[in-house]
Amino acid sequence: MKRLIYFALLFLSFAGIVLFSYARINTGISLKYEVEPGECISNVSGNNLCKQQEYFLYLTILFFIFFIVVILFSKLFLSKTKS
């Protein structure tokens, strides 16, 4: 059961890194095409794209740290038990 939890945490943390990195790149493209030069508010949706890109950066870093922590504590989850 611990092995399943370990791989689930590992997968979710890696998926979070990929998802939020993609979202950050996508927001960067929106910044290029949906705003006036020097602005951050989207002409299409009205969202503050600079703040949104910053949030995605922080979430990517958070999930990367979580991924490293899960890898470091792998011995806790994958220890052999005597049967």
Side-chain angles (χ1 to χ4, degrees):
M1 186 64 173
K2 284 186 177 182
R3 190 174 188 89
L4 179 66
I5 292 170
Y6 171 74
F7 285 116
L9 290 174
L10 196 65
F11 173 75
L12 289 175
S13 60
F14 184 75
I17 293 169
V18 172
L19 176 73
F20 291 121
S21 296
Y22 176 75
R24 187 167 185 271
I25 292 169
N26 193 21
T27 304
I29 292 170
S30 295
L31 267 170
K32 184 174 182 180
Y33 293 110
E34 293 180 13
V35 299
E36 298 297 325
E39 296 290 322
C40 289
I41 305 298
S42 170
N43 294 333
V44 176
S45 65
N47 293 336
N48 186 345
L49 296 177
C50 295
K51 188 63 92 172
Q52 187 175 354
Q53 190 176 31
E54 187 177 325
Y55 288 149
F56 288 140
L57 173 65
Y58 293 148
L59 285 169
T60 303
I61 292 170
L62 179 72
F63 273 86
F64 180 73
I65 292 170
F66 184 65
F67 182 75
I68 297 299
V69 168
V70 169
I71 289 175
L72 290 176
F73 287 107
S74 65
K75 290 192 181 221
L76 178 73
F77 289 103
L78 299 177
S79 63
K80 300 273 184 177
T81 58
K82 293 184 180 181
S83 42

